[in-house]
Amino acid sequence: MIMVTPEFWIRNATVITGRQSLPADVHVRGEKIIELVRRDPRPGTAAGRPSARERAPGGPHLPPLPAGTAPPEAVEAAGLWLLPGGVDAHVHCGMSPRPGITSLGWRQSSEAALLGGTTTIIDFAEPRGDEPLAAAVDRRRAEAAGECLCDFGLHVTVTPAAAGRLAELPALVERGCPSFKAFLAYPDRLMLDETALRRLMAAAAAAGGQVLIHAEDGRLVADRQESLIRAGRTGPQWHSAAHPPEAELRAVEQTLGLAVATRCPLLLVHLTLAGSLAHLRRARARAARPGHLRGEVCLHHLVASSGCCRDTDEDHLRAVFSPPLRSAQDSAALLAGLADGSLDLLSTDHCEFTLRAKRKAASDGFAAIPNGTGGVGERLALSHDRAVRTGDMRRERWVMVCCERPAALGGLAGRKGCIAPGFDADLVLFDPAAAGPWQPLGASDPEASLYTGLPVQGRVRSVWLRGRQVVREGGLVRPAAAGQFLVRSPVDW
Ligand SMILES: [Zn+2]
């Protein structure tokens, strides 16, 4: 059995939040951050003099320690950054697009998350057939129980079969799932038509929820797929040709219009194009409630582009996900949008299939290849290397888009995503100077990863989840703490 460390300090780190960086000591007791002591830097010394103190509500009257408890441990962290645990609001663990094919499961994906400094993930509950939505949530929670090593929440996917169950939305919001995902893509399985989407948005807004949209015009994609296949173009290199920019642009515009009309808080997930960002900016500029319209970018669209694909089948297989990689100019526009506040969060859409599984499926043509790539372990280090180290994004903004905003928009404000008294003690010691070729973390498949071997500066050293150390010097502490299901609150948009 592992002992819960009841109390410790992390001293002399540079504490980074979404708003500021400050040299400080952080005091943890039980599962919470209880105190932050700012240090005034003194020139020529590593550590400063303690000055202002911030304490958890309750002030100096901290809860008493159990009798016989040893004095608090101190972790020395000079030269390192202390970040809030990462919050990845878009991951898929153990996703099975069809029988016999399953993406990396809860345990392996959450291990990679922790090793990469992400302590909270939000996955999805997708109802099967006509299953009640709450039953889908219960089923996913049962799958994750004892398997998911980080804390997790669930968005609820509203499939065409579930679109008649909108009366169930208020109960789901009540049970901690205030976000609903819908697709304009995948006409054979998941796509909602405009009427169904409009109804969903109106119902979600009335229930105090929000809607997440995969915005690609599924009919256009299906047409392109068919004509490519008819022309004998069935190799994995044709996947991206089946997902043209028009499909996304059209769907983004349609979705923004519906969200404004229904007054529904909207998060456009995995935007990939400069043009989509332009649509979002325009809609916000005109909207009565611009805060209702939000955009997400995913790691692979930010740090990779179609130009990264050399011309082997394996490169193309790795890059089978939807929407596909776009141009380097699009990636640069997304990075600028994330830095200037036009986009709100950096997620991963982590959904990792082995290269072997993709290769096997590819014998039936590109349309049969499971869509997805890993990234939950890569997000902090890779985005540090490509955005912060390069000077394209301030480090506080990086923490904002990787931790604080995804927590706040996910209904976890006050608990996750920030280093402040009262928040969960989800903490990451990050070494911004450590550099070397990237190796996928934990059980991730190095063959399938887009990032294996790339030079990356910045590494996660140690991680605490609700006060328990779960990663030490880059290695998982076994047995790791168990993740908890997060009952998320409706967001005041
Ligand atoms: Zn996804």
Side-chain angles (χ1 to χ4, degrees):
M1 189 187 128
I2 191 164
M3 291 298 293
V4 178
T5 306
E7 182 170 20
F8 63 95
W9 287 85
I10 299 176
R11 294 201 190 273
N12 296 313
T14 300
V15 170
I16 306 179
T17 71
R19 287 156 220 286
Q20 58 176 347
S21 298
L22 65 161
D25 297 343
V26 172
H27 187 181
V28 172
R29 185 175 291 167
E31 298 197 330
K32 297 285 184 187
I33 297 166
I34 57 165
E35 196 176 10
L36 192 67
V37 181
R38 178 193 281 270
R39 288 177 170 272
D40 288 335
R42 275 184 302 191
T45 57
R49 189 167 47 83
S51 62
R53 269 169 200 271
E54 259 183 75
R55 282 182 167 158
H61 310 291
L62 300 172
L65 284 176
T69 310
E73 246 183 78
V75 178
E76 177 54 46
L80 300 176
W81 292 357
L82 188 64
L83 317 174
V87 178
D88 190 338
H90 188 165
V91 304
H92 304 273
C93 299
M95 191 210 238
S96 189
R98 60 181 173 278
I101 297 185
T102 306
S103 74
L104 199 67
W106 284 99
R107 178 169 290 269
Q108 293 89 344
S109 295
S110 58
E111 269 188 22
L114 290 176
L115 289 165
T118 286
T119 48
T120 296
I121 57 176
I122 310 182
D123 201 301
F124 296 80
E126 183 183 318
R128 286 180 185 150
D130 192 30
E131 183 181 39
L133 303 179
V137 171
D138 291 343
R139 183 165 45 75
R140 285 296 275 169
R141 282 185 64 173
E143 285 169 23
E147 286 292 305
C148 188
L149 304 181
C150 60
D151 284 353
F152 69 99
L154 293 169
H155 305 294
V156 178
T157 303
V158 179
T159 59
R165 294 191 167 274
L166 299 181
E168 298 172 16
L169 265 48
L172 289 163
V173 172
E174 192 75 13
R175 292 180 49 168
C177 299
S179 44
F180 305 98
K181 167 91 177 278
F183 290 81
L184 291 174
Y186 307 118
D188 47 335
R189 224 161 48 86
L190 294 166
M191 187 174 92
L192 295 191
D193 62 28
E194 180 159 332
T195 307
L197 183 55
R198 183 186 290 271
R199 286 191 185 134
L200 167 62
M201 284 181 166
Q210 54 180 291
V211 169
L212 283 56
I213 298 289
H214 177 140
E216 273 192 297
D217 184 322
R219 298 254 174 258
L220 182 56
V221 171
D223 288 350
R224 288 290 168 98
Q225 275 183 354
E226 265 179 46
S227 45
L228 286 162
I229 290 166
R230 244 185 286 119
R233 296 173 164 172
T234 57
Q237 71 272 33
W238 297 105
H239 165 78
S240 64
H243 293 259
E246 308 87 282
E248 178 172 319
L249 294 171
R250 204 185 274 184
V252 162
E253 207 173 9
Q254 181 194 11
T255 305
L256 285 165
L258 285 173
V260 169
T262 55
R263 303 181 162 210
C264 178
L266 167 71
L267 178 66
L268 286 161
V269 298
H270 50 48
L271 293 180
T272 69
L273 295 162
S276 299
L277 184 55
H279 278 321
L280 176 59
R281 284 191 179 122
R282 257 197 307 277
R284 267 187 184 169
R286 283 199 228 111
R289 299 182 189 187
H292 272 188
L293 308 174
R294 304 277 177 194
E296 171 198 82
V297 62
C298 288
L299 181 71
H300 44 287
H301 295 121
L302 194 71
V303 305
S305 61
S306 45
C308 310
C309 262
R310 295 183 305 268
D311 230 12
T312 69
D313 268 7
E314 294 205 335
D315 283 324
H316 292 296
L317 283 172
R318 284 183 196 104
V320 172
F321 38 74
S322 297
L325 290 178
R326 307 292 193 189
S327 71
Q329 289 82 348
D330 286 310
S331 298
L334 296 171
L335 176 52
L338 199 58
D340 73 14
S342 306
L343 293 167
D344 292 273
L345 49 153
L346 175 60
S347 311
T348 61
D349 201 3
H350 170 87
C351 187
E352 184 183 319
F353 297 98
T354 61
L355 195 63
R356 201 163 151 257
K358 282 187 163 182
R359 201 185 281 125
K360 197 169 157 213
S363 56
D364 294 329
F366 71 82
I369 302 167
N371 278 218
T373 188
V376 74
E378 277 80 8
R379 189 178 60 133
L380 287 183
L382 265 286
S383 59
H384 168 267
D385 182 75
R386 302 306 169 85
V388 180
R389 183 189 58 79
T390 55
D392 291 306
M393 193 187 291
R394 290 182 310 113
R395 57 188 180 175
E396 295 82 10
R397 179 70 192 158
W398 172 60
V399 167
M400 183 62 89
V401 300
C402 289
C403 311
E404 191 168 329
R405 286 303 279 161
L409 293 179
L412 298 166
R415 293 156 69 189
K416 303 287 189 189
C418 190
I419 298 179
F423 277 70
D424 283 358
D426 297 342
L427 297 164
V428 174
L429 270 182
F430 189 84
D431 181 349
W438 184 258
Q439 272 308 312
L441 301 170
S444 285
D445 175 17
E447 261 205 308
S449 171
L450 295 171
Y451 313 113
T452 303
L454 293 182
V456 174
Q457 184 176 325
R459 289 290 188 280
V460 168
R461 289 278 177 240
S462 294
V463 181
W464 290 263
L465 171 65
R466 282 179 281 103
R468 272 202 210 185
Q469 187 156 21
V470 287
V471 175
R472 182 175 291 133
E473 287 308 312
L476 206 68
V477 177
R478 289 179 191 277
Q484 285 184 351
F485 174 71
L486 297 166
V487 175
R488 298 179 296 120
S489 310
V491 177
D492 186 10
W493 293 62

